[in-house]
């Protein structure tokens, strides 16, 4: 079984190293065989329209059709749009056998009540929700960005929906503790610099089953992001779980 | 040989550092395949005067000189920098580390010219720490701006006989720094994009890129894997992993 990367974005206007073919080549070189494709979520800014959302998801649909053995799709949604649109778009994407869930970025904070309608749709369709998070202490845009504490609020409101909180390295130990009590929250190690110590702390507090490998490519380098796992002072078996088994288990349950 | 140009020991105010003593760090780096490392103490970064912390590190490096190269942290705005620099020159130090962001001075300030003249006279390599952490990870009370690449470029142009090694530059800074200024070098610890190393040496001369991990702030393995999977020739890999740093840091290469 190869490594699953739970956090990769496609590009609507890719640079030379960012084309899907090139990303697959570089990923495979590092042992990554399965890639969760979350869409080019910031291409149109933080608050994309219905047409822009469809545009982003059209590309993901095209790519999972073209590379079904590698890509798994996630449907990008903006919770500020109407429930009718959100449900129709989720049905359009999640009707495809290679789609596994919904991606939420920075249109609104995760604790915003407007996210509820997306969570109801996710619950109805048994979809995993990947929620962007960061440490907003410095970036100071909590109206749009979500702290781990906000993800925990959302998780408590919808305890039956499986949430993957992205970018645990960005909020580090504080983020780990915020989501620790929420059994329906997994986290990925994608993005940010390969700051030491976070993975060990996450394994200690969350256990070894709720942590997923993610890179945030093409904004990041597969190899450097893998260094967070291979360089962590954790048992080899736990590394295997983070790189492979945990994602497999979560995706199979969707 | 892998020469890591960017490692630290000591404590940091906002996160726990693993391997934070020379003993633990040497064991860890050696087990990762690193053969020599340039070390400074993080305790000196926010100290009123770095020198007591440099002295502590010097003492704790005793017996580890075959592995670590001590780069003492110098604040050239303090009154006694010339005494400190002279003492390190007599102690056969090869490099000093500056933190203009944390110590609050523009590196191209005319007031620092005597300092750099003395560095040039003693043959020191000057390590310039661009940043300690991603700016988004700072504590809200400790927001330190990165060093401006254009200030270093201007300074380096005026001191062609000093090798300036800029540590922890992000990708675009690394490209700006090492394009066209032959005595400016960069490590690749912070630089990251798809296929990082190949992308970097497509834009800057390979002779100006060196290996650095920023351990233990970062996982050492991240820098090592960037190199392992780098789509560059074996010759270029060897230069980055050690050859280039050896050229600018070693007074006597046989000891490596």
């Amino acid at each position: 079984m190869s490594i699953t990367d739970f956090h990769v974005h496609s590009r609507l206007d890719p640079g030379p190293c960012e084309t899907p073919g090139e990303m697959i080549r570089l990923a495979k070189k590092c042992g990554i065989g399965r890639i969760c494709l979350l869409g080019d979520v910031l291409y149109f800014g933080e608050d994309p329209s219905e047409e822009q959302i469809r545009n982003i998801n059209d590309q993901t649909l095209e790519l999972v059709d073209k590379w079904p053995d590698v890509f798994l799709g996630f449907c990008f949604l903006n919770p500020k749009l109407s429930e009718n649109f959100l449900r129709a778009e989720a049905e359009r994407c999640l009707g495809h056998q290679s789609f596994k869930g919904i991606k939420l970025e920075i249109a609104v904070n995760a604790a915003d009540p407007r996210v509820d309608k997306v969570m109801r749709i996710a619950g109805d369709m048994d979809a995993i929700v990947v929620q962007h998070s960061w440490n907003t202490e410095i970036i100071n845009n909590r109206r749009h960005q979500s702290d781990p504490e906000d993800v925990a609020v959302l998780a408590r409101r919808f305890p039956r929906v499986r949430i993957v909180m992205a970018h645990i390295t960005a909020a580090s130990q504080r983020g780990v503790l915020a989501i620790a009590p929420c059994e329906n929250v997994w986290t990925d190690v994608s993005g940010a610099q390969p700051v030491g110590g976070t993975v060990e702390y996450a394994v200690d507090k969350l256990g070894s089953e709720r942590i997923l490998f993610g890179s945030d490519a093409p904004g990041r380098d597969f190899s450097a992001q893998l260094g967070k796992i291979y360089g962590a002072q954790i048992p080899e078996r736990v590394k295997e779980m983070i790189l492979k088994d945990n994602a497999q288990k979560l995706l199979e349950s969707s | 040989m892998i020469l890591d140009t960017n490692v630290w020991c000591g404590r940091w105010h906002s996160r726990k550092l693993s391997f934070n003593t020379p003993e633990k760090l040497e064991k860890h780096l050696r087990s990762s395949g690193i053969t020599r490392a340039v070390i400074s103490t993080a305790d000196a970064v926010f100290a009123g005067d770095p020198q007591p912390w440099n002295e502590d590190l010097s003492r704790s490096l005793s017996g580890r000189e075959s592995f670590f190269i001590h780069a003492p942290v110098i604040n050239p705005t303090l009154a006694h920098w010339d005494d400190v620099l002279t003492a390190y020159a007599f102690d056969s130090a090869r490099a000093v580390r500056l933190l203009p962001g944390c110590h609050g001075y523009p590196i191209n300030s005319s007031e620092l010219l005597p300092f750099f003249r003395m560095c040039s006279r003693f043959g020191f390599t000057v390590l310039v720490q661009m940043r300690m952490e991603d700016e988004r990870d700072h504590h809200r009370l400790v927001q330190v701006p990165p060093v401006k690449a254009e200030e270093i470029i201007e300074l380096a142009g005026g001191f062609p006989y000093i090798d300036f090694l800029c540590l922890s530059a992000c990708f675009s800074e690394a490209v700006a720094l090492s394009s066209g200024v032959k005595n400016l070098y960069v490590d690749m610890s912070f630089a990251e994009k798809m296929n990082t190393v190949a992308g970097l040496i497509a834009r800057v001369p390979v002779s100006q890129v060196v290996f650095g991990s920023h351990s233990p702030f970062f996982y050492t393995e991240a820098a090592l894997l960037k190199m392992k999977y780098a789509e560059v020739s074996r010759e270029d890999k060897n230069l980055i992993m050690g050859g280039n740093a050896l050229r600018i840091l070693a007074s006597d290469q046989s000891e490596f």
Side-chain angles (χ1 to χ4, degrees), chain A residues 46 49 81 124 163 166 203 206 248:
Chain A
E46 63 188 14
S49 66
L81 299 172
D124 293 345
I163 299 171
V203 169
L206 303 179
Q248 178 85 357

Side-chain angles (χ1 to χ4, degrees), chain B residues 212-234:
Chain B
S213 70
H214 200 46
S215 301
F217 284 88
F218 288 179
Y219 289 112
T220 313
E221 201 68 19
L224 289 168
L225 289 177
K226 274 186 204 169
M227 290 310 305
K228 178 180 175 183
Y229 292 111
E231 298 189 317
V232 299
S233 68
R234 180 174 294 277

